[in-house]
Amino acid sequence: RDKRVKWFMNDRFGMFIHWGLYSIPAVGEWKRSYERISLEEYDKYFDAFNPVDYDPEKWARLAKGAGMKYAVLTVKHHEGFCLFDSQYTDFKATNTKCGRDLVREYVDAFRKEGLKVGLYYSLFDWHHPDYHHYGDLYHPMRDNEEFKDYKYDINRYLEYMHNQVRELCTNYGKIDLFWFDNSYGDMVGEKWKATELITMMRKLQPEMVINNRLECNASAKGSIGTSNPTVYAGDFVAPEQIIPPQGILDDEGMPLPWEASCTMNNNWGYVTNPNNYKTAKCLIRKLVECVSKGGNFLVNVSPDARGRIPSQSEKVLLEIKEWFEENEDS
Ligand code: JFZ
């Protein structure tokens, strides 16, 4: 792990990018679940998806300007829509009006700016017929009377998931970081066939840093800090929104790699009327707090349906850029 996380513990600041079909209705990425929307109805966003302003080089320049050293893009969020050209599904960007592999363009653009490249991949999948919809309101799930006779085959979903992770680790050159989201309830670790999955990933991308969410959720640490971590313990702890007051230590009191992710406003996915936008000052303070406690800081932006990072986020990032420039050699 020490070798893998070397860059990660040096490049403390990153850009999180939540982008998918949910950017169209613009009320956040949990829309389908919250509003109990059927697959057929949700397809209208698939039919409409056409991000004519998608220009990942612009995103990359913005991130780089703000002092960010890496990025993490939602290549598949809970809705199941793939921004990449996967041979295992039709529910992908290449089959929409835009007809392109958006992940390829993202990877190329961020590389070109010298940034490290990360992929977020959701373990939940509300689109796959064999995903059993833990933590989801509408769909078949444990203990839900309405769906007690629904037959799903989780192994078929796991095969799909493993196949897609293999594609992502094979088709895009070197990937620096992989962000799983997330284990839930008793759906943890081996329920994802995690040993097999991680072993495959380590073989394909031996230097890739992986978060700990195959093993646990955002508020937990997992076995990473113990003397006997599992194969799938991951390389860093991934708390969310809250910066751990004491940083994160292992059982011996030694610092562990961690990364706090944080929204710029009240949502991860694009919303038309965001509230509680954080100021540049607030984000800089959080960044400094993370770094001073041995952690990383991943700040989210939410591109809209056309592929544009909202101007308010852009403004904040440009202010952070100015702050870096003012403080460069002091
Ligand atoms: C998850 C996603 O559901 C969300 O849409 C977003 O992508 C975020 C980065 O990750 O949200 C979580 C995951 C785990 C917890 C809370 C929110 N948790 O364990 O407390």
Side-chain angles (χ1 to χ4, degrees), residues 180-198:
F180 282 111
D181 195 27
N182 66 284
S183 288
Y184 186 95
D186 64 0
M187 210 44 216
V188 296
E190 285 309 353
K191 292 273 177 75
W192 306 114
K193 298 199 171 150
T195 298
E196 193 184 316
L197 182 60
I198 288 277

Side-chain angles (χ1 to χ4, degrees), residues 64-135:
K64 190 178 179 177
M68 292 164 159
K69 307 291 186 192
Y70 66 103
V72 180
L73 170 69
T74 54
V75 301
K76 184 195 89 172
H77 204 271
H78 306 341
E79 65 179 2
F81 177 67
C82 297
L83 298 179
F84 61 107
D85 186 14
S86 169
Q87 61 165 295
Y88 301 101
T89 184
D90 293 328
F91 198 49
K92 57 182 176 181
T94 27
N95 288 346
T96 63
K97 283 195 186 105
C98 92
R100 288 142 59 197
D101 183 330
L102 304 171
V103 172
R104 159 116 316 123
E105 293 175 27
Y106 154 77
V107 170
D108 292 347
F110 278 72
R111 276 264 171 273
K112 198 173 142 211
E113 287 298 324
L115 297 169
K116 297 257 189 312
V117 173
L119 309 180
Y120 165 114
Y121 184 87
S122 172
L123 295 168
F124 294 21
D125 194 315
W126 300 329
H127 191 266
H128 195 284
D130 288 299
Y131 182 72
H132 55 332
H133 305 290
Y134 276 78

